[in-house]
Amino acid sequence: MSYTLYQGTRLGLALKEALDEMEEYDQISPSVKRVILRKFDETICDTFQNNVDNRLVLRAERLWSFRFCDSVWQLLLKNVEFLTNSGNLVASVKGKVKIVACDARKPDRR
């Protein structure tokens, strides 16, 4: 299963904008654009799975809402602190934070 979630990030949107422009000027075909975007998503998933410490502690003042649908979790939190396993503060966000989490493993690795 391949998610297109990362195409909505700033980096993904910039890539899509550049590819749209290249497609508009006939520098690439629509099929090449699709292949590039698919490879982008696969690469981001693989990078997060293999090169990023995937354990983080969240501490929030309030959980506004949560939803689980089609193996995707969506959490809306207020005033969130992100901590390492040892308790060191990584980031603190005042206001609302939306977290979308999905199983990005390839089907053969489950």
Side-chain angles (χ1 to χ4, degrees):
M1 179 183 298
S2 177
Y3 293 102
T4 60
L5 178 69
Y6 301 112
Q7 292 178 22
T9 63
R10 288 183 183 184
L11 183 62
L13 292 172
L15 175 63
K16 284 171 76 172
E17 184 179 330
L19 293 172
D20 288 342
E21 189 174 314
M22 292 175 76
E23 182 182 14
E24 182 180 326
Y25 291 108
D26 293 325
Q27 293 175 332
I28 61 171
S29 67
S31 61
V32 169
K33 178 181 162 184
R34 282 192 301 275
V35 168
I36 291 171
L37 289 172
R38 188 172 351 131
K39 187 64 176 175
F40 171 76
D41 286 319
E42 289 174 9
T43 302
I44 293 290
C45 287
D46 287 344
T47 299
F48 281 147
Q49 186 173 12
N50 299 321
N51 300 330
V52 176
D53 184 14
N54 58 0
R55 299 192 189 272
L56 196 64
V57 177
L58 303 175
R59 192 177 347 183
E61 181 179 302
R62 181 171 182 173
L63 173 63
W64 283 101
S65 69
F66 64 94
R67 179 174 43 196
F68 182 72
C69 182
D70 295 332
S71 298
V72 177
W73 278 101
Q74 291 186 14
L75 306 167
L76 188 58
L77 307 163
K78 178 183 176 188
N79 298 338
V80 182
E81 291 181 337
F82 297 88
L83 308 160
T84 63
N85 282 339
S86 59
N88 297 327
L89 183 65
V90 175
S92 180
V93 179
K94 299 295 179 199
K96 293 182 181 177
V97 173
K98 182 177 184 180
I99 296 176
V100 178
C102 50
D103 187 2
R105 293 178 289 180
K106 294 179 181 172
D108 60 315
R109 291 187 185 174
R110 289 185 186 169

